[in-house]
């Protein structure tokens, strides 16, 4: 998957997509991790709850660098906090190695690297799934990387697989033709987004003669022309140990691991490729385009107006980079930042973002904004220009600079809590900056940046003559939904599903797994119940000086009526907008000055609470939480501002195929009196009053329906005392409200709908019906069944059939949304409109095959191994661990579920899975929604 985003607020965190293949842009802030940072030296008004008053974090202190005889660079770092290890292989090849005509070939090659090798002629996704590996890959401007995280005993197996595909990958005509269709499907999916199209146009204009102006994923026209010889040429030139870096982080012993690396990768012959001698392009400071100041204007079908502007910057090792990053935090770093105040808080823009991106050969600063209803892009551009001029002319205050430094440092630390992120940080630093210790220099330089430095870089780089500006101005949308069909008329073609892949065929290609490791026992959280009924779960984790907070309040959209749909979300989005003693900016400032974050968001069955901070700042996080859940005042001006932002977001959603598909699907599956039916409309949002919001808050935000989960570096006794002090006064009265959930029947026949969205290139299809709840006794069998059906795009029956064999979709997967109530069973896929009907028919044929004939014992065994192996890998990530602990409590499963989940999966039998297939798969009762372009007959 090609994915372009700015990860600066989250550290160098690669999102592990459920679909494989991604491409990311790494920003300097994302790549900046400190080797030694004093987490907190300032006094706190609250008692410390950390294990140490002052703690030092050194991200590169224990890293060891080894270079093999064949030129392979190896970085190893032992982290023994969980029995897992991550393996990453980074190649210095990206879209900057391309030119028009072959744009996207690095990304295409990344896809082909999963197609098997001479020794293992099998989809590598199936091998990774068999290992229970959280595996993925991405292509960026400067790098292509492959990464997987597994249980520690499977480390060598991952090494063997990566060494194999470094030298022996199969790139054959038939497979290339299929995968080109998959890549085009992926690219056309991005074409659905107006902001993507605008960004692409601006980058082309800003860098017309440099590869950085090319889209990382490529273009349809170029991809269609790729030949096997072209792809092989790139593979032979760039996929070589002397152009690669291997990174291993986690629970392993260095010496035997290095011996295993030499045994596997040491056999790969170095090519001394031309890639090593290529010179990086010079760092541009002046805009290479002509000096026209007229904005690029895209007038196309869409829903909202967007602005995007770009200023060229120097490469990553330029001494101005630290000051440029701090400049960006001053401008866009949080609610108190200059541009957030000038654009979003003023109501001119519904949202905005920015980021400094510094790569091997160049960089750029980008700013994006979505116009609020009734606002003009020209006005947004004027405000942006005015604020940048103030920065250039007047500089920054020391308070702003100090806050920026704190935010940047905290975000780096918080973005490096798990081993995958730490390994990714090392890979980015080594390949982009040429030194895995780059972050040492970077953080030291950040602390030395002065206010004068920030003003100087603003004057140097943020000049009007250097910028490229783009406007997206939407034309009229007239979306129409197709009529429902009571039969299977559109998918009546007779497709026969191919034979499933025998797990024994996969097993014979798996490398040997080390069985000598010692099993570990997952620690369980301490359970606390306050006198007011609030439940809290605490799990200390001293691996990093950070804390993750997740929470739940039973105040979700299940309590929305159709007339007031959006009330729960409007309430949650305004909780942080002021209390009895502090206004919105004071609340935000208290958190931002310490690099902490706290947010609320409503979903179907509750309100999600997400927060994190450095360990020493947990008291501030708890104090802020306690204040807003008890004392929110919902100021009228902020409420109205949020309403306008939600109205803009609604327009964007109604122009997004995936959002339209899920809305149409749920309103077809569930009756009008069901909580899952209601979705916000313009009318419902405008009809919600401040009194409605305050009444909802008073009624549903109550301690006896609230659960908190905290994972991190703290003393449980001190945290308990803090929570009791801050939250014991929170009281409620009477019994908590209960939503009415009427019984939901399956459709009597198949129903098909095609909501048409003008200007879209790809279709999003959902197939499903009412599913099961989390406490259904068939849940564990359903998980095993789903893993076989569509739990993994590259290894499931659906993925094998629809993606690999037929080449009809970029990604397809299935899942049970099993919560407190019966959520849907869903299959989701992305296709070209002309392929949608064939993909739907093939999917239905496969479901019929499984329902009627069942699955095999070897498939069940393989699915169970995959699920039980993936589970501890997930728990090694703090956010995932905290969320799992929270979910177990919300679903009334008990804390022991954290340990018992694996044994419950292992206990599932073939008979139970096949019975679940008969009871839970209903291919004749599907609701099928295909949103996007009009669905046409297949050309196949």
């Amino acid at each position: 998957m090609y994915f372009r985003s700015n990860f600066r607020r989250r550290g160098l965190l690669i999102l592990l997509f459920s679909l494989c293949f991604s491409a990311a842009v790494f920003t300097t802030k994302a790549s900046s991790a400190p080797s030694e940072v004093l987490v907190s030296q300032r006094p706190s008004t609250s008692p410390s709850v950390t294990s140490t008053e002052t703690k030092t974090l050194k991200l590169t202190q224990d890293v060891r660098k080894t270079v093999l005889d064949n030129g392979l660079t190896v970085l190893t770092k032992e982290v023994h906090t969980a029995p897992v290890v991550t393996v990453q292989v980074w190649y210095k090849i990206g879209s900057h190695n391309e030119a028009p005509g072959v744009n996207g070939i690095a990304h295409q090659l990344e896809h082909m690297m999963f197609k098997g090798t001479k020794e293992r002629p099998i989809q590598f996704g199936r091998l990774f799934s068999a290992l229970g590996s959280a595996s993925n890959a991405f292509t960026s401007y400067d790098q292509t990387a492959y990464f997987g995280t597994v249980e520690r005993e499977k480390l060598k197996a991952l090494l063997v697989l990566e060494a194999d595909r470094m030298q022996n990958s199969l790139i054959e005509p038939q497979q290339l033709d299929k995968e080109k269709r998959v890549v085009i499907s992926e690219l056309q999916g991005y074409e659905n987004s107006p902001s993507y199209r605008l960004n692409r146009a601006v980058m082309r204009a800003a860098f017309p003669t440099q590869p950085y102006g090319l889209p990382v994923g490529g273009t349809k026209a170029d991809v269609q022309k790729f030949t096997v010889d072209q792809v092989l040429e790139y593979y032979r030139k760039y996929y070589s140990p002397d152009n690669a870096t291997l990174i291993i982080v986690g629970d392993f012993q260095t010496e035997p691991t290095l011996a295993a690396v030499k045994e596997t990768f040491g056999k790969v012959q170095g090519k001394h490729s031309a890639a090593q001698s290529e010179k990086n392009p010079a760092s541009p400071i002046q805009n290479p385009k002509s000096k026209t100041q007229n904005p690029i204007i895209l007038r196309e079908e869409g829903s909202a107006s967007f602005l995007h502007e770009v200023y060229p910057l120097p490469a990553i090792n330029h001494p101005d980079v630290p000051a440029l990053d701090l400049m960006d935090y001053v401008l866009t770093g949080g609610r108190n930042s200059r541009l957030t105040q000038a654009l979003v808080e003023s109501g001119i823009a519904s949202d905005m973002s920015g980021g400094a991106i510094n790569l091997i050969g160049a960089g750029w600063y980008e700013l994006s904004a979505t116009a609020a209803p009734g606002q003009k892009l020209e006005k947004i551009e004027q405000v942006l220009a005015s604020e940048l001029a103030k920065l250039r002319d007047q500089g920054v205050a020391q308070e702003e600079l100090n806050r920026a430094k704190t935010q940047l440092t905290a975000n780096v630390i918080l973005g490096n809590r798990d081993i995958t992120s730490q390994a990714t940080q090392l890979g980015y630093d080594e390949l982009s900056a040429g030194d895995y210790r780059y972050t040492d220099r970077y953080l030291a330089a950040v602390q030395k940046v002065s206010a004068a430095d920030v003003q100087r870089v603003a004057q140097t780089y943020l000049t009007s003559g250097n910028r490229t500006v783009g406007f997206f101005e939407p034309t009229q949308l007239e979306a129409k939904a197709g009529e429902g069909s009571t039969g299977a008329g559109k998918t009546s073609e007779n497709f026969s599903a191919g034979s499933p892949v025998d797990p024994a065929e996969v097993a014979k290609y798996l490398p040997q797994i080390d069985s000598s490791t010692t099993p570990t026992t997952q620690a369980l959280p301490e359970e606390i119940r306050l006198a007011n009924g609030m439940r809290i779960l605490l799990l200390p984790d001293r691996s990093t000086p950070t804390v993750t907070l997740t929470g739940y309040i039973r105040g979700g959209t299940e309590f929305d009526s159709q007339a007031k749909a959006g009330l729960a979300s409007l309430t949650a989005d305004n909780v942080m907008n002021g209390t009895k003693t502090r206004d919105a900016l004071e609340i935000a400032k208290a958190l931002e000055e310490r690099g902490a974050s706290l947010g609320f968001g409503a979903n179907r069955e509750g309100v999600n609470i997400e927060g994190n901070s450095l360990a020493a700042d947990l008291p501030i996080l708890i104090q802020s939480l306690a204040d807003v859940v008890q004392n929110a005042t919902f100021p009228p001006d902020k409420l109205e501002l949020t309403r306008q932002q939600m109205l803009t977001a609604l327009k964007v959603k109604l122009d997004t195929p995936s959002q339209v598909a899920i809305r149409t699907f749920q309103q077809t599956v569930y009756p009008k009196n069901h909580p899952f039916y209601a979705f916000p409309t313009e009318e419902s949002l405008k009809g919600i009053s401040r009194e409605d919001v305050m009444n909802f808050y008073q009624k549903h935000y109550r301690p006896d329906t609230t659960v908190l989960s905290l994972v991190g570096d703290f003393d449980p006794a001190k945290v308990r005392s803090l929570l009791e002090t801050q939250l014991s006064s929170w009281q409620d009265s009477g019994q908590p409200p209960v939503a009415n959930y009427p019984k939901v029947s399956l459709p009597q026949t198949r129903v098909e709908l095609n909501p048409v969205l003008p200007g879209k290139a790809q279709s999003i299809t959902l197939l499903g019906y009412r599913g099961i709840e989390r406490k259904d006794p068939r849940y564990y069998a359903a998980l095993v069944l789903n893993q076989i059906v569509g739990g993994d795009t590259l290894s499931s029956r659906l993925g094998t059939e629809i993606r690999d064999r037929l080449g009809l979709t970029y990604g397809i997967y299935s899942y049970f949304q099993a919560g407190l109530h019966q959520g849907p069973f869903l299959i989701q896929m992305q296709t070209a409109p002309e392929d949608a009907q064939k993909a739907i028919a093939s999917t239905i044929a496969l479901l019929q095959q499984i329902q009627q004939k069942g699955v095999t014992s070897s498939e069940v065994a393989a699915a169970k191994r995959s699920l039980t192996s993936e589970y501890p890998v997930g728990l090694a990530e703090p956010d995932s661990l905290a969320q799992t602990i929270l979910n177990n409590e919300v679903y009334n499963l008990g804390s022991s579920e954290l340990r018992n989940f694996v044994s419950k999966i292992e206990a599932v039998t073939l008979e139970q899975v096949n019975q679940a297939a008969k009871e839970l798969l209903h291919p004749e009762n599907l609701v099928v929604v295909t949103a996007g372009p009009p669905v046409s007959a297949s050309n196949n």
Side-chain angles (χ1 to χ4, degrees):
M1 180 178 182
Y2 162 59
F3 184 79
R4 187 186 186 289
S5 186
N6 183 352
F7 292 100
R8 67 184 183 83
R9 301 289 180 230
R10 308 171 68 175
L12 192 64
L13 174 62
I14 296 293
L15 301 182
L16 302 181
F17 299 100
S18 58
L19 305 182
C20 207
F21 313 122
S22 60
V25 173
F26 297 109
T27 71
T28 303
K29 283 172 287 304
S31 68
S32 311
S35 66
E36 183 170 350
V37 177
L38 292 181
V39 172
S40 180
Q41 296 183 6
R42 54 184 177 273
S44 174
T45 57
S46 301
S48 172
V49 295
T50 58
S51 59
T52 56
E53 292 301 323
T54 301
K55 189 163 184 174
T56 301
L57 179 70
K58 298 181 179 180
L59 291 180
T60 62
Q61 180 182 27
D62 299 319
V63 176
R64 177 170 170 180
K65 181 175 181 177
T66 306
V67 180
L68 303 189
D69 292 341
N70 60 9
L72 179 69
T73 298
V74 184
L75 302 176
T76 54
K77 180 182 180 181
E78 295 185 27
V79 180
H80 300 289
T81 55
V84 297
V85 61
T86 190
V87 173
Q88 301 187 5
V89 181
W90 289 57
Y91 297 92
K92 191 174 284 189
I93 169 181
S95 61
H96 92 273
N97 300 99
E98 300 168 356
V102 290
N103 181 207
I105 199 166
H107 177 229
Q108 182 70 65
L109 177 55
E110 175 215 312
H111 277 239
M112 297 306 298
M113 292 290 285
F114 285 82
K115 290 301 183 179
T117 65
K118 297 172 185 177
E119 295 184 8
R120 296 176 175 85
I122 190 169
Q123 165 62 255
F124 262 46
R126 296 182 195 126
L127 298 174
F128 294 135
S129 178
L131 292 173
S133 174
S135 296
N136 214 317
F138 68 84
T139 301
S140 185
Y141 288 98
D142 293 334
Q143 306 97 1
T144 303
Y146 303 83
F147 48 98
T149 304
V150 294
E151 297 166 296
R152 58 190 174 195
E153 63 267 22
K154 298 170 182 174
L155 166 59
K156 187 173 180 181
L158 272 189
L159 296 176
V160 170
L161 293 177
E162 291 295 352
D164 188 15
R165 65 176 171 175
M166 177 181 282
Q167 60 182 332
N168 299 317
S169 284
L170 292 173
I171 300 174
E172 299 175 333
Q174 185 179 9
Q175 291 288 357
L176 178 60
D177 287 343
K178 289 181 180 179
E179 204 62 29
K180 282 161 64 174
R181 290 184 67 181
V182 170
V183 168
I184 290 170
S185 172
E186 175 185 350
L187 297 179
Q188 289 180 326
Y190 298 117
E191 292 285 340
N192 283 348
S193 168
S195 60
Y196 169 83
R197 302 197 299 270
L198 178 63
N199 176 274
R200 182 181 58 190
V202 170
M203 288 297 291
R204 283 174 176 170
F207 299 99
T209 62
Q210 292 199 34
Y212 288 135
L214 300 173
V216 173
T219 64
K220 178 180 178 180
D222 282 359
V223 171
Q224 285 176 324
K225 294 183 292 186
F226 291 156
T227 65
V228 168
D229 288 342
Q230 285 177 315
V231 178
L232 276 171
E233 179 187 357
Y234 268 73
Y235 177 60
R236 292 166 180 159
K237 181 177 182 180
Y238 293 103
Y239 279 64
S240 172
D242 48 356
N243 195 47
T245 298
L246 169 68
I247 304 133
I248 306 170
V249 178
D251 191 16
F252 65 92
Q253 299 298 320
T254 300
E255 294 304 331
T257 297
L258 285 176
V261 168
K262 292 173 183 177
E263 179 185 346
T264 52
F265 284 90
K267 300 175 183 177
V268 183
Q269 185 175 357
K271 302 171 187 176
H272 304 289
S273 66
Q276 293 298 305
S277 60
E278 289 181 355
K279 300 299 183 182
N280 293 326
S283 303
I285 294 179
Q286 297 300 314
N287 197 329
K289 73 180 184 71
S290 61
K291 298 300 182 183
T292 176
Q293 297 302 306
N294 296 326
I296 298 163
I297 299 177
L298 298 185
R299 291 188 178 95
E300 300 172 356
E301 291 168 313
S303 57
S305 299
F306 300 100
L307 174 146
H308 189 76
E309 63 181 45
V310 163
Y311 297 79
L313 294 180
I316 187 170
N317 279 315
H318 195 283
D320 283 345
V321 165
L324 285 165
D325 288 343
L326 290 170
M327 176 195 75
D328 174 48
Y329 273 86
V330 169
L331 289 171
T332 70
R335 196 162 188 172
N336 283 277
S337 64
R338 293 191 179 191
L339 292 181
T340 302
Q341 283 291 303
L343 293 174
V344 179
E345 294 293 322
S346 69
I348 300 173
S350 291
D351 61 61
M352 68 81 50
S353 62
I357 296 159
N358 303 95
L359 306 177
I360 291 177
W364 58 91
Y365 186 61
E366 59 182 23
L367 293 166
S368 300
T370 304
Q375 297 293 333
K376 299 294 185 181
L377 293 174
E378 290 83 359
K379 184 175 182 180
I380 293 177
E381 184 187 16
Q382 290 171 4
V383 173
L384 274 175
S386 175
E387 289 299 321
L388 297 185
K390 287 180 184 177
L391 180 61
R392 293 192 300 266
D393 297 340
Q394 302 173 18
V396 299
Q398 191 63 43
E399 179 186 6
E400 288 180 294
L401 181 59
N402 291 343
R403 182 167 63 243
K405 289 182 179 181
T406 301
Q407 286 177 295
L408 188 155
T409 301
N411 284 333
V412 165
I413 298 171
L414 290 165
N416 280 276
R417 287 173 291 175
D418 62 279
I419 61 171
T420 299
S421 297
Q422 291 175 39
T424 305
Q425 182 77 71
L426 293 172
Y428 179 73
D429 287 353
E430 179 69 17
L431 270 75
S432 293
D435 183 4
Y436 73 90
R437 297 162 299 187
Y438 168 77
T439 53
D440 301 4
R441 296 185 282 109
Y442 174 85
L443 255 293
V446 163
Q447 297 307 316
K448 295 177 181 178
V449 170
S450 66
D453 292 328
V454 174
Q455 184 176 15
R456 175 183 57 78
V457 296
Q459 293 169 341
T460 302
Y461 301 102
L462 300 189
T463 63
S464 59
N466 275 352
R467 69 177 176 173
T468 304
V469 183
F471 291 173
F472 180 88
E473 297 179 349
T475 57
Q476 186 66 34
L477 281 174
E478 293 183 2
K480 297 180 180 179
E483 294 298 322
S485 170
T486 58
K490 292 186 178 179
T491 54
S492 59
E493 296 174 81
N494 184 21
F495 288 99
S496 298
S499 301
V501 176
D502 185 354
E505 181 74 8
V506 177
K508 75 180 185 181
Y509 295 117
L510 275 176
Q512 184 176 356
I513 296 173
D514 181 8
S515 59
S516 63
T517 57
T518 303
T520 60
T521 301
Q522 173 63 52
L524 297 181
E526 176 185 351
E527 301 179 50
I528 298 172
R529 184 179 289 268
L530 301 185
N532 57 14
M534 185 174 176
R535 291 168 287 166
I536 301 158
L537 299 108
L538 305 176
L539 184 61
D541 174 8
R542 304 285 162 73
S543 58
T544 64
T546 64
V547 177
T548 296
L549 180 151
T550 61
Y552 166 90
I553 300 174
R554 190 69 181 270
T557 62
E558 65 180 352
F559 295 110
D560 281 355
S561 65
Q562 287 190 61
K564 303 287 186 181
L567 175 57
S569 294
L570 191 58
T571 305
D573 290 351
N574 275 275
V575 166
M576 299 281 291
N577 272 340
T579 64
K580 296 174 182 177
T581 58
R582 297 187 296 172
D583 64 24
L585 293 184
E586 289 173 320
I587 295 170
K589 185 177 180 182
L591 294 166
E592 290 169 4
E593 285 185 339
R594 293 154 192 270
S597 66
L598 178 66
F600 293 74
N603 60 29
R604 285 290 167 193
E605 294 186 335
V607 174
N608 286 335
I609 306 170
E610 295 183 358
N612 56 60
S613 73
L614 300 181
D617 298 321
L618 180 56
I620 301 300
L621 189 62
I622 296 297
Q623 289 167 5
S624 299
L625 171 68
D627 188 17
V628 299
V629 297
Q630 297 177 82
N631 303 313
T633 55
F634 304 99
D637 59 333
K638 298 299 183 185
L639 191 65
E640 188 57 36
L641 180 63
T642 306
R643 188 200 314 275
Q644 295 305 311
Q645 292 168 350
M646 290 181 68
L647 285 168
T648 303
L650 176 63
K651 283 186 177 182
V652 174
K653 287 181 179 180
L654 294 179
D655 187 40
T656 304
S658 60
Q659 294 291 327
V660 173
I662 193 64
R663 178 182 290 241
T664 305
F665 175 85
Q666 289 201 186
Q667 291 187 335
T668 306
V669 170
Y670 297 99
K672 289 186 177 181
N673 61 341
H674 195 283
F676 288 4
Y677 182 92
F679 281 84
T681 64
E682 182 177 353
E683 182 181 8
S684 71
L685 288 174
K686 289 181 176 178
I688 298 171
S689 67
R690 179 171 179 265
E691 183 180 5
D692 291 330
V693 172
M694 295 184 69
N695 288 340
F696 189 92
Y697 172 75
Q698 292 165 2
K699 184 177 181 180
H700 297 284
Y701 282 59
R702 40 191 297 149
D704 57 351
T705 65
T706 298
V707 183
L708 292 183
S709 167
L710 286 92
V711 174
D713 186 13
F714 54 76
D715 182 318
K718 292 181 179 179
V719 170
R720 178 170 187 162
S721 175
L722 176 64
L723 290 166
E724 288 176 342
T725 300
Q726 295 294 324
L727 290 161
S728 60
S729 59
W730 189 16
Q731 299 295 322
D732 53 59
S733 61
Q735 293 299 311
V738 178
N740 177 43
Y741 279 82
K743 184 178 180 180
V744 179
S745 300
L746 295 174
Q748 293 183 355
T749 58
R750 195 175 304 148
V751 178
E752 299 186 20
L753 297 165
N754 179 205
V756 175
L757 282 73
K760 304 306 176 186
Q762 280 281 288
S763 298
I764 300 296
T765 297
L766 301 181
L767 307 91
Y769 39 75
R770 178 266 301 149
I772 60 175
E773 64 184 17
R774 177 62 177 85
K775 297 198 78 172
D776 190 299
R778 299 168 294 182
Y779 175 76
Y780 301 97
L783 282 186
V784 177
L785 171 65
N786 184 71
Q787 183 70 12
I788 296 168
V789 173
D792 186 308
T793 291
L794 296 184
S795 65
S796 64
R797 288 255 198 125
L798 284 172
T800 299
E801 179 72 11
I802 314 301
R803 188 190 189 282
D804 277 2
R805 191 170 81 86
L806 299 176
L808 297 176
T809 180
Y810 162 59
I812 184 169
Y813 52 96
S814 64
Y815 50 92
F816 287 91
Q817 287 187 341
L820 290 168
H821 300 278
Q822 294 176 334
F825 168 71
L826 272 171
I827 296 171
Q828 181 169 341
M829 60 182 162
Q830 170 183 314
T831 64
E834 65 270 18
D835 290 335
Q837 289 304 320
K838 184 175 181 179
I840 291 168
S842 301
T843 298
I844 293 172
L846 187 143
L847 291 178
Q848 290 170 333
Q849 180 189 72
I850 295 175
Q851 185 202 43
Q852 295 167 9
K853 298 181 180 180
V855 298
T856 66
S857 58
S858 56
E859 284 183 299
V860 170
K864 288 162 59 175
R865 283 195 300 271
S866 180
L867 289 170
T868 56
S869 298
E870 291 171 357
Y871 188 71
V873 171
L875 296 185
E877 202 279 315
D879 289 344
S880 177
L881 175 59
Q883 189 64 54
T884 302
I885 291 171
L886 179 74
N887 290 346
N888 288 342
E889 183 65 23
V890 170
Y891 297 143
N892 298 310
L893 302 172
S895 295
S896 61
E897 177 72 4
L898 203 61
R899 286 181 184 167
N900 296 339
F901 175 84
V902 168
S903 61
K904 290 177 180 179
I905 293 292
E906 289 174 338
V908 171
T909 65
L910 171 64
E911 292 73 23
Q912 289 172 328
V913 175
N914 282 332
Q915 186 63 32
K918 292 178 181 179
E919 296 176 2
L920 300 178
L921 297 184
H922 305 285
E924 302 306 322
N925 307 98
L926 287 164
V927 171
V928 183
V929 178
T930 302
V935 173
S936 57
S938 174
N939 295 324
N940 296 288

